[in-house]
Amino acid sequence: MTSEPRIPLVRLNDGADLPQLGLGVWQVDAGVAERVVSQALETGYRHIDTAAIYGNEAEVGRAIAASGIPREELFITTKLWNTEHERAKALAAFDASLERLGLDYVDLYLIHWPVPSENRYVEVWHALEEIKASGRARSIGVSNFLIPHLERLLAETSTVPAVNQIELHPTFIQQEARDFHAAHGIVTEAWGPLGQGKYDLGDLPAIAEAAAAHGKTPAQVVIRWHLQHGIVVFPKTVNADRMRENIDVFDFELSEAEMAAIDALDRGNRQGRDPATT
Ligand code: NAD
């Protein structure tokens, strides 16, 4: 690729713009994370999704510092881990993340899981509101929140989450959650957008046929399917070729029939933890 791909921006409910395609760094070992993020930034990625629990914020931060890319061109997300569901702990955990990242602010700070067993996510959301008010997180949102959890935030607080980051891939399309988000101005972010490699995308005829029709790989078809649905996506890879492949999705368009055929692959196939009990 000779020119940098133009990644569309998604406008959040607080007015900030989020690059719709980024790189996720879950299970990217600290030993390789700086190299991986540096490569991604060189390839044209500007949005990095990390979390305190991923153990690589410091390496992500080093790659950002070394890149020389103006801070305002980058969009950096990190997340509050489940052991910090209390106001003071959340504020301290945020400070520690910012310190490890070596940044003055993050673009997006998320509550990683609702942890309903502790029932403190409303208190924690108020802590994130404080952080946003301080300017050190430009936007705040949640992850793995089910509709009843979102309903409580909407009823009991005055800030609508900018995003909800949820498991979402062709066999788990989360239509009900996406409809709820859209009705309340919450942007849907997909985690595990490629199914985490737990099933072979190319084995699914709707994906294989679209890939053959467009001369693209199954992964590129699935990334394109997310993008055309308005979903924010950050597939994870540590491989430079796949990094280029995953961002090379702006020169083709899936037809309505192809989109519908992929939608029809849904079988409620949750792979990760159930937020109701996590
Ligand atoms: P993913 O769907 O992005 O799948 C990653 C797997 O797909 C990797 O094993 C990789 O080898 C493979 N892959 C990547 N590009 C490919 C390509 N072009 N062709 C074939 N295989 C390819 O799964 P993920 O990493 O779990 O999700 C992406 C990101 O979402 C994470 O890195 C993380 O940032 C975020 N995430 C968030 C949560 C949460 O609870 N909020 C949970 C999991 C992941």
Side-chain angles (χ1 to χ4, degrees):
M1 210 172 351
T2 49
S3 63
E4 279 184 10
R6 281 198 313 275
I7 297 173
L9 297 172
V10 171
R11 178 64 49 94
L12 302 178
N13 62 19
D14 58 10
D17 286 326
L18 162 61
Q20 200 185 353
L21 175 58
L23 180 81
V25 294
W26 182 45
Q27 292 185 327
V28 176
D29 290 344
V32 297
E34 183 176 350
R35 192 253 317 151
V36 166
V37 174
S38 294
Q39 255 167 7
L41 296 175
E42 280 164 26
T43 308
Y45 289 78
R46 291 294 179 267
H47 167 189
I48 307 294
D49 183 89
T50 185
I53 195 68
Y54 300 171
N56 55 24
E57 289 173 310
E59 292 72 20
V60 169
R62 280 207 290 276
I64 292 167
S67 72
I69 297 169
R71 176 68 184 91
E72 61 275 14
E73 290 181 22
L74 298 171
F75 194 101
I76 309 300
T77 298
T78 194
K79 314 184 190 86
L80 176 80
W81 188 236
N82 302 351
T83 46
E84 318 296 334
H85 273 228
E86 191 190 306
R87 177 182 173 272
K89 283 187 182 178
L91 296 176
F94 176 77
D95 288 346
S97 281
L98 211 53
E99 174 93 30
R100 283 191 294 270
L101 285 161
L103 297 175
D104 299 329
Y105 70 92
V106 293
D107 295 277
L108 180 61
Y109 195 48
L110 305 181
I111 303 178
H112 208 141
W113 291 86
V115 200
S117 58
E118 290 202 18
N119 193 25
R120 300 190 89 151
Y121 56 85
V122 175
E123 172 184 336
V124 173
W125 185 243
H126 285 309
L128 265 66
E129 288 179 308
E130 288 183 51
I131 292 166
K132 179 173 162 61
S134 78
R136 293 177 309 143
R138 296 278 164 95
S139 300
I140 54 174
V142 296
S143 178
N144 299 302
F145 273 46
L146 299 173
I147 290 172
H149 307 139
L150 292 171
E151 281 173 334
R152 273 197 65 197
L153 296 190
L154 296 174
E156 297 177 35
T157 79
S158 55
T159 309
V160 178
V163 311
N164 188 17
Q165 183 180 125
I166 56 174
E167 180 183 347
L168 203 175
H169 43 84
T171 60
F172 190 45
I173 73 169
Q174 295 261 35
Q175 194 60 56
E176 199 191 342
R178 283 157 55 200
D179 290 346
F180 184 90
H181 298 164
H184 293 90
I186 300 167
V187 166
T188 301
E189 294 192 334
W191 68 252
L194 303 176
Q196 299 186 311
K198 289 180 179 165
Y199 58 94
D200 193 339
L201 300 172
D203 281 348
L204 299 168
I207 295 173
E209 284 162 22
H214 293 279
K216 290 287 179 177
T217 66
Q220 288 172 317
V221 165
V222 171
I223 292 166
R224 187 73 212 175
W225 170 81
H226 285 284
L227 295 175
Q228 287 183 216
H229 271 313
I231 297 163
V232 174
V233 75
F234 25 82
K236 172 247 174 181
T237 181
V238 297
N239 174 300
D241 290 335
R242 281 179 170 175
M243 235 177 246
R244 279 189 289 276
E245 176 184 330
N246 292 350
I247 208 172
D248 181 19
V249 291
F250 297 103
D251 59 353
F252 75 111
E253 192 167 355
L254 298 171
S255 68
E256 272 183 40
E258 288 167 332
M259 291 291 288
I262 299 173
D263 290 343
L265 296 171
D266 185 37
R267 50 176 201 275
N269 179 32
R270 186 189 292 285
Q271 313 262 5
R273 302 187 200 179
D274 184 348
T277 51
T278 300

